[in-house]
Amino acid sequence: MAGSTLEIKNLHVSIEGKEILKGVNLTVKGGEFHAIMGPNGTGKSTLASAIMGHPKYEITEGSILLNGEDVLEMEVDERARAGLFLAMQYPSEISGVTTSDFLRSAINARREEGNEIPLMQFIKDLDKDLDFLEIDQSMATRYLNEGFSGGEKKRNEILQLMQIKPDIAILDEIDSGLDIDALKVVSKGINKMRGEDFGCLIITHYQRLLNYITPDFVHVMMQGRVVKSGGPELAHRLEAEGYDWIKEELGIEDETVGQNA
Amino acid sequence: MTVDTKLPYDRSYIEQFSAERNEPEWMKELRLNALDQAESLELPKPDKTKIGNWNFTRFKHVATGEKIASLTDLPAEIQDFFDVENLPENIVIQRNHTVAFAQLNEELSNKGVIFTDIFTALKEHEDLVKRYYMKDAVAVEEHKLTALHAALMNGGVFVYVPKNVQIEEPLQAVFWQEDPEVALVNHVLVVAEENSELTYVENYISNNKEEATVANIVTEVIAQDNAKVSFGAVDNFAAGTTTYVNRRGVGYRHATIDWALGQMNDGNTVSENVTHLIGDGSVSNANAVTVGRGKQIQNFTAKIAQWGKNSDAQILQRGVMKESATSIFNAIGKIEHGASGANNEQTSRVLMLSEKARGDANPILLIDEDDVTAGHAASVGRVDPMQLYYLMSRGITQEEAERLVIHGFLDPVVAQLPIAAVKKQLKQVIERKVN
Ligand SMILES: Nc1ncnc2c1ncn2[C@@H]1O[C@H](COP(=O)(O)OP(=O)(O)OP(=O)(O)O)[C@@H](O)[C@H]1O
Ligand SMILES: [Mg+2]
């Protein structure tokens, strides 16, 4: 089978009784890179969280399917083992758990009991990815995200992506807070994942990330919906002209989710 | 039910007990004097825990234990305390009140290092024991339990490291209460002379889930100028044992006393860990972890009192509370007048795993000097759902995610334990207690 398919249909999501997503439709297939752009507060992270199963978000309507299976019926860990991955905008700090112990647990969670990854192989693979992402070896023995700089957290998310090798990954502002060298390294990591068996949804505000990772599709979110889709040229136009032309085109005055078109 | 607080043993019993062990006259007198005081002294009053009706006086006082020929003859639960591939060179195993096994590296004994049970020490190193036993650290008359301890002391070890001797290999003591009814009134005396260095680790273990008995433990650590003592412990008394454990250190000029205590008892426990930093430039790091479960009630006090200029004190307490367990954590920093340049930092964190558990963290700073730095942090909380979400989003099950968070929460203290095998064993005990 060539890759997985994630289908989001008419997705409505509320948080604390307030509707934030108002009918999102989107399909991501293995081999495809999608970018989602959009002003602040338009529902991008909400979409990512709803797909992963964040406990605070309530799905009020619509569906999410992974290879035809109902994702909304799955617990968070089941979604991950089914092939989904979310690089979070604000990763949690887990005191007392080293990056390496955590990664080994995550990898072994995907394997049958009794078929855990051999320690030597794990160390070898980890070293390779650390080198590739130009991460200091010491990060492996540091507590997960604790005291990491913003950039280190983002690199660590990509390290996890490379180690876990999901089928479909959502990257929420993986480029925020990165210096130019880190941006290149992180992009290199994401590009290395490219292939028939890997689909990716990249949430970003900036074209500069898309200079390194060329998306196949670009979507714009406003008011809790995907309001426009296109190819890489759409991102270039947004970079040059901002969002006003889209708002004008669609007659939107306030793009945030509190408003209705 | 009224609790019988009448003392269980009288003068003639103590005279005979002391005579059977050929103790020096001063020791017998110390015991008898302590017994007199125990009658009238009151129980200690740990902050926020009522211990008035706890059993500290009903127990059987002595039991012997069989000797063993080699460490590999021990049952598996005791063998857990060491690395069987690499057996410890310096060890005392006390089984009930018998020394079942003891050995000390010859090179160390040639250098004058003493590591032996307390009764042998009273015979062979009487002057040294007399110089320090309940003199500079813990006093007989502090309260009823210290007096009872002095009167009925029935086990323990003496550690002595002479001037300028630095020991790299750890010294390990295992206190194994095999008899489910017998009390352990244990005295550990550690003396590190000027410029010496040592690591000592002790394990307490019993199996009396039903039978009620008592552990009354006093530990005194004396670190002379420039001495460095690293003290580790895993306490693992079963639910039937009511424990009073008092571990106290005194540090002179530029001395260091570090504590790493795994307080894993299943019964009611009062634990005091107090360090007096007398000398200028002295240092103490007091680290302790606990896991409370069942209905047990525990009170932990970690206190560092500073007289020395530029002395440095760090207290770190971590506790996990499950089921209906209750624990009070008192962290006390006291800086005396004249201790200029002193620093005192304390952190107490409690993780609650059930609605019925109770945890209370009380950080206290008492400062009588202007030129100092001090800080404290305390928190009582639950497992953070965002942490679980993050871990689960990587495919880790909820159960495993909780396990990781709990072990991670305790790890900063567990990692301080000086012997790898004991660290591993503590992790196993934690595993058993939290799951
Ligand atoms: N817990 C909450 N309670 C109330 N409103 C919330 C909550 N969480 C998010 N929202 C609201 O949902 C809307 C969408 O937020 P979301 O984080 O999805 O935006 P975003 O598009 O990712 O923005 P950004 O580009 O700034 O990251 C915002 O208006 C936000 O204030
Ligand atoms: Mg966002």
Side-chain angles (χ1 to χ4, degrees):
Chain A
M1 193 189 81
S4 294
T5 302
L6 177 69
E7 289 171 277
I8 298 149
K9 293 182 195 161
N10 188 32
L11 190 69
H12 290 248
V13 175
S14 292
I15 181 159
E16 286 156 19
K18 179 180 161 200
E19 182 163 71
I20 294 179
L21 297 190
K22 298 167 182 170
V24 174
N25 291 289
L26 192 65
T27 299
V28 179
K29 294 193 175 123
E32 297 175 355
F33 274 33
H34 294 244
I36 295 193
M37 304 184 82
N40 294 128
T42 51
K44 303 181 298 298
S45 292
T46 302
L47 174 64
S49 302
I51 296 170
M52 204 66 236
H54 188 295
K56 279 204 172 150
Y57 295 81
E58 192 197 344
I59 316 294
T60 53
E61 208 182 317
S63 63
I64 304 177
L65 303 176
L66 182 64
N67 302 323
E69 297 218 31
D70 187 354
V71 169
L72 298 177
E73 284 296 305
M74 302 179 195
E75 297 295 332
V76 176
D77 57 315
E78 293 170 330
R79 295 180 194 203
R81 292 197 300 275
L84 295 176
F85 179 92
L86 169 60
M88 300 196 189
Q89 189 171 356
Y90 305 107
S92 291
E93 301 190 356
I94 316 285
S95 182
V97 179
T98 63
T99 298
S100 145
D101 282 350
F102 155 72
L103 277 171
R104 204 140 65 95
S105 295
I107 290 167
N108 285 331
R110 288 169 171 70
R111 292 166 155 248
E112 298 281 305
E113 217 173 301
N115 186 32
E116 285 84 6
I117 184 167
L119 186 58
M120 289 317 293
Q121 190 194 328
F122 169 72
I123 293 172
K124 222 178 80 197
D125 293 353
L126 181 59
D127 279 353
K128 212 175 70 192
D129 289 347
L130 285 167
D131 281 350
F132 189 83
L133 294 172
E134 296 169 31
I135 298 173
D136 195 277
Q137 296 283 335
S138 69
M139 188 188 273
T141 52
R142 285 175 68 187
Y143 294 156
L144 183 59
N145 290 325
E146 193 179 65
F148 285 19
S149 73
E152 284 169 340
K153 284 184 184 166
K154 299 292 177 172
R155 272 186 217 229
N156 190 283
E157 293 289 288
I158 298 306
L159 174 68
Q160 294 176 36
L161 173 75
M162 292 179 71
Q163 288 273 301
I164 290 171
K165 300 183 181 64
D167 301 331
I168 304 279
I170 303 151
L171 311 177
D172 193 356
E173 294 201 24
I174 197 66
D175 52 338
S176 72
L178 291 185
D179 64 40
I180 192 72
D181 292 332
L183 185 71
K184 284 184 192 168
V185 167
V186 159
S187 307
K188 192 172 80 161
I190 298 164
N191 282 325
K192 188 159 186 252
M193 299 292 296
R194 243 190 219 277
E196 280 287 276
D197 293 330
F198 179 68
C200 195
L201 187 60
I202 301 164
I203 298 171
T204 181
H205 286 291
Y206 304 107
Q207 170 61 32
R208 60 172 204 165
L209 176 68
L210 305 179
N211 289 338
Y212 297 105
I213 309 168
T214 314
D216 303 296
F217 306 94
V218 174
H219 311 277
V220 177
M221 273 189 81
M222 285 186 189
Q223 295 178 332
R225 284 192 201 91
V226 174
V227 294
K228 194 165 187 67
S229 297
E233 73 290 344
L234 178 54
H236 285 287
R237 185 162 176 203
L238 292 173
E239 176 81 359
E241 300 177 30
Y243 292 102
D244 284 350
W245 64 276
I246 299 186
K247 283 157 66 178
E248 239 165 74
E249 207 175 279
L250 300 172
I252 294 172
E253 281 187 6
D254 183 341
E255 70 280 9
T256 59
V257 298
Q259 315 303 317
N260 279 309
Chain B
M1 189 186 77
T2 58
V3 179
D4 182 9
T5 52
K6 212 168 71 61
L7 299 184
Y9 296 95
D10 61 10
R11 286 185 74 92
S12 67
Y13 173 83
I14 284 172
E15 276 170 8
Q16 193 192 339
F17 180 84
S18 181
E20 278 167 9
R21 280 156 190 77
N22 290 315
E23 286 183 351
E25 190 61 23
W26 64 268
M27 189 65 181
K28 189 183 81 185
E29 286 306 319
L30 185 149
R31 287 179 182 278
L32 291 171
N33 174 301
L35 184 74
D36 288 345
Q37 305 209 40
E39 296 271 7
S40 53
L41 285 168
E42 296 202 9
L43 284 172
K45 292 190 178 59
D47 205 23
K48 296 189 178 171
T49 304
K50 290 200 169 62
I51 63 170
N53 59 356
W54 290 17
N55 169 37
F56 287 111
T57 48
R58 273 170 294 126
F59 51 78
K60 169 169 141 191
H61 186 232
V62 274
T64 54
E66 260 181 74
K67 290 189 189 275
I68 52 158
S70 123
L71 289 175
T72 48
D73 293 344
L74 289 163
E77 66 185 290
I78 308 291
Q79 286 200 31
D80 272 355
F81 296 129
F82 9 89
D83 176 1
V84 182
E85 305 285 297
N86 188 10
L87 289 170
E89 286 186 43
N90 313 307
I91 187 159
V92 171
I93 297 183
Q94 180 178 303
R95 185 172 186 175
N96 295 328
H97 302 114
T98 304
V99 178
F101 188 86
Q103 69 183 15
L104 175 66
N105 174 304
E106 203 174 331
E107 210 180 306
L108 293 183
S109 60
N110 289 341
K111 283 182 183 164
V113 173
I114 302 167
F115 180 38
T116 185
D117 70 276
I118 195 87
F119 293 104
T120 304
L122 277 168
K123 289 195 191 79
E124 296 178 2
H125 310 284
E126 184 188 338
D127 291 348
L128 276 175
V129 177
K130 187 178 179 187
R131 162 68 191 83
Y132 291 104
Y133 189 89
M134 299 195 87
K135 287 241 164 53
D136 300 345
V138 178
V140 171
E141 64 277 6
E142 287 181 22
H143 47 67
K144 192 185 215 67
L145 297 181
T146 48
L148 263 180
H149 172 90
L152 292 168
M153 186 276 289
N154 63 9
V157 295
F158 177 56
V159 177
Y160 180 82
V161 182
K163 193 169 167 177
N164 295 330
V165 174
Q166 280 117 29
I167 309 183
E168 278 174 24
E169 283 294 303
L171 309 176
Q172 191 173 356
V174 176
F175 301 105
W176 173 22
Q177 286 311 89
E178 193 181 22
D179 183 320
E181 289 170 344
V182 79
L184 185 57
V185 187
N186 215 50
H187 199 100
V188 175
L189 179 56
V190 178
V191 179
E193 291 284 15
E194 253 172 69
N195 205 30
S196 69
E197 211 172 303
L198 77 114
T199 299
Y200 165 86
V201 175
E202 61 186 15
N203 300 93
Y204 286 98
I205 185 158
S206 78
N207 264 321
N208 50 315
K209 291 190 179 62
E210 306 295 330
E211 304 86 344
T213 188
V214 174
N216 180 332
I217 296 163
V218 171
T219 296
E220 303 181 280
V221 174
I222 311 293
Q224 300 289 8
D225 294 355
N226 289 314
K228 194 168 188 316
V229 179
S230 172
F231 189 108
V234 178
D235 302 348
N236 197 7
F237 285 109
T241 298
T242 301
T243 302
Y244 169 73
V245 53
N246 178 343
R247 293 189 172 100
R248 194 165 301 172
V250 181
Y252 296 97
R253 279 183 37 235
H254 295 284
T256 299
I257 301 177
D258 287 340
W259 307 93
L261 310 178
Q263 306 197 292
M264 297 294 147
N265 294 341
D266 273 330
N268 291 351
T269 298
V270 173
S271 164
E272 289 181 47
N273 175 212
V274 180
T275 308
H276 294 280
L277 294 179
I278 307 285
D280 292 350
S282 53
V283 175
S284 181
N285 294 289
N287 300 295
V289 280
T290 190
V291 176
R293 66 172 171 183
K295 292 193 166 75
Q296 77 179 130
I297 299 172
Q298 302 188 89
N299 185 296
F300 301 99
T301 299
K303 173 176 172 179
I304 303 181
Q306 297 168 260
W307 279 265
K309 291 187 186 10
N310 301 312
S311 55
D312 186 54
Q314 310 278 339
I315 294 174
L316 182 63
Q317 295 176 308
R318 300 254 164 156
V320 170
M321 291 301 114
K322 55 183 279 195
E323 294 160 6
S324 308
T326 299
S327 287
I328 308 291
F329 295 84
N330 302 306
I332 305 173
K334 185 156 186 358
I335 303 182
E336 305 290 344
H337 183 64
S340 53
N343 177 47
N344 189 302
E345 304 283 339
Q346 37 183 267
T347 310
S348 309
R349 298 204 186 286
V350 189
L351 189 63
M352 310 291 284
L353 298 185
S354 103
E355 295 292 332
K356 287 195 211 120
R358 284 197 43 213
D360 198 352
N362 310 307
I364 299 164
L365 282 171
L366 305 162
I367 300 178
D368 287 326
E369 170 62 46
D370 293 331
D371 172 25
V372 299
T373 50
H376 57 209
S379 68
V380 176
R382 300 189 176 276
V383 176
D384 175 3
M386 284 307 100
Q387 290 189 331
L388 293 183
Y389 167 61
Y390 184 68
L391 293 170
M392 289 171 71
S393 79
R394 299 326 187 217
I396 296 168
T397 60
Q398 177 161 355
E399 203 185 355
E400 176 69 7
E402 281 172 356
R403 205 186 69 86
L404 283 173
V405 170
I406 293 165
H407 282 267
F409 175 79
L410 299 175
D411 194 68
V413 176
V414 176
Q416 305 287 330
L417 269 173
I419 298 181
V422 175
K423 197 184 303 186
K424 199 171 133 207
Q425 188 262 343
L426 175 58
K427 284 186 182 171
Q428 284 170 6
V429 177
I430 290 172
E431 187 85 43
R432 275 203 298 276
K433 286 195 83 169
V434 296
N435 293 336

